[in-house]
Amino acid sequence: MNADQLAVSAPATSPKMDTKPDVAPTLRIRAVMLGERINPSGLELGAPVSSTPAAFRVHAGLVVIFRYGVVVLIGQLPSEEKVLIDSLKPRVTGELSPYEEEIAQAQLCKDENAEAIQPGGPINLTKFSDERLLLIADALAKSTSLARDERRVAAVFDVIEPFARELAEKGRTSRRRKGILQLIGNALLVQQRVAGRVAVAEKPDALWEKPQLDRLYARLEDEYELKERLDTLERKLTVVAETADALTDIIDTQRSLRLEIAVVVLIVIEVVIGCVQIWSGTH
């Protein structure tokens, strides 16, 4: 891919590249999570660049589509981004509102050893090659999806916490069976949506073809803390699963208690009826 072509569309305010000699060409990269899933089958946005993930050369940049609901727009103007997102909406399942998104900047550098990511700064690349941009798209898409999943798990924890506090302080809960079932449903729904949906730990296919770019991807993983965030998310999902099991046990205990009370009441009624019959027979 021609580096100068890509850099033309990088600034958000103007499609012209800064011509000052001391300013390195930059490229805007935006990842947007549109929904739960995106179906890229049969999609033709432009010249194909990759099949897994589906990537196309559009205008002066790239569009990379991930099945788990994220599209990464590279080197596109804001107006072009809107048109592309609108064209993908019919292929989205479980559309989100608002969208989850992250934005990064890639910048050209002269020395290969200078390929690095400054904290809060741009991603330095020796060239805007397809393979490098696909690696950035992969890392940014995973980070965006993780951010959405982290919000979901946090929302479940916000519901579970007062319930757990009530159990700890009073030894019982004022919630009825319906409320407990709703908690279990929320916990299971988050598990189903989050667990295993995004293979964060797996390396992108571009690395199998260009293993020399492994260092770049390792830096991207560190920058977006993909492994650490995944570990934290998995630990929280374990807590959610254990909470769902505990809530199920509470429901089973309540049901067993009601059955025992019903049996005792029936026995008492039978004894009373027997006593009445005996009393009636003696008189």
Side-chain angles (χ1 to χ4, degrees):
M1 180 180 296
N2 189 290
D4 293 332
Q5 285 182 326
L6 285 172
V8 166
S9 62
T13 56
S14 172
K16 295 182 180 180
M17 183 181 68
D18 196 328
T19 56
K20 293 180 181 180
D22 57 336
V23 177
T26 59
L27 189 63
R28 182 174 183 264
I29 304 173
R30 180 188 177 201
V32 185
M33 187 169 188
L34 302 180
E36 300 296 332
R37 294 283 177 183
I38 298 179
N39 181 14
S41 300
L43 183 62
E44 295 181 1
L45 292 177
V49 174
S50 167
S51 58
T52 308
F56 304 91
R57 185 167 285 108
V58 181
H59 304 300
L62 293 179
V63 176
V64 189
I65 300 168
F66 296 86
R67 290 184 178 273
Y68 51 81
V70 180
V71 57
V72 181
L73 306 158
I74 303 174
Q76 307 293 325
L77 294 173
S79 58
E80 295 168 342
E81 291 178 350
K82 185 179 185 305
V83 172
L84 288 166
I85 289 175
D86 289 342
S87 69
L88 290 174
K89 284 183 179 180
R91 294 175 172 268
V92 175
T93 302
E95 185 176 355
L96 303 179
S97 180
Y99 298 144
E100 190 78 39
E101 65 175 84
E102 289 193 36
I103 296 176
Q105 295 283 341
Q107 180 176 284
L108 283 180
C109 62
K110 298 179 180 179
D111 186 3
E112 185 172 349
N113 293 326
E115 281 196 335
I117 307 172
Q118 302 298 328
I123 303 169
N124 293 324
L125 302 174
T126 54
K127 57 182 177 179
F128 293 148
S129 64
D130 291 344
E131 296 82 7
R132 286 173 168 79
L133 294 177
L134 285 175
L135 291 183
I136 296 174
D138 183 270
L140 201 60
K142 288 175 179 176
S143 178
T144 305
S145 184
L146 279 173
R148 176 67 179 177
D149 293 339
E150 287 164 350
R151 291 179 190 273
R152 285 174 172 155
V153 173
V156 172
F157 268 76
D158 289 341
V159 176
I160 290 175
E161 184 180 358
F163 177 81
R165 185 181 297 110
E166 186 180 19
L167 283 177
E169 293 175 353
K170 300 180 181 178
R172 56 186 175 83
T173 175
S174 59
R175 292 176 183 258
R176 297 190 176 183
R177 186 170 182 270
K178 181 180 178 181
I180 296 176
L181 285 174
Q182 287 176 333
L183 279 177
I184 295 174
N186 286 331
L188 294 178
L189 189 59
V190 167
Q191 273 191 294
Q192 186 271 329
R193 285 178 174 175
V194 176
R197 192 168 61 85
V198 183
V200 175
E202 294 183 6
K203 292 187 176 182
D205 291 347
L207 282 183
W208 299 107
E209 300 173 3
K210 298 283 186 177
Q212 63 270 28
L213 297 178
D214 190 71
R215 287 179 58 192
L216 172 62
Y217 189 72
R219 289 167 179 164
L220 290 167
E221 281 186 319
D222 291 340
E223 170 65 17
Y224 293 105
E225 300 179 334
L226 297 182
K227 292 181 179 178
E228 293 82 357
R229 291 166 67 188
L230 178 61
D231 290 341
T232 301
L233 196 58
E234 287 178 343
R235 286 195 298 270
K236 289 184 176 180
L237 283 176
T238 300
V239 173
V240 169
E242 291 174 350
T243 302
D245 290 339
L247 294 175
T248 303
D249 290 340
I250 289 174
I251 287 182
D252 291 340
T253 301
Q254 291 177 342
R255 182 177 298 172
S256 298
L257 180 60
R258 286 195 296 268
L259 288 174
E260 290 173 1
I261 292 173
V263 169
V264 170
V265 169
L266 289 174
I267 292 174
V268 171
I269 292 174
E270 186 175 354
V271 170
V272 170
I273 292 174
C275 291
V276 170
Q277 289 176 344
I278 293 172
W279 184 82
S280 298
T282 58
H283 290 75

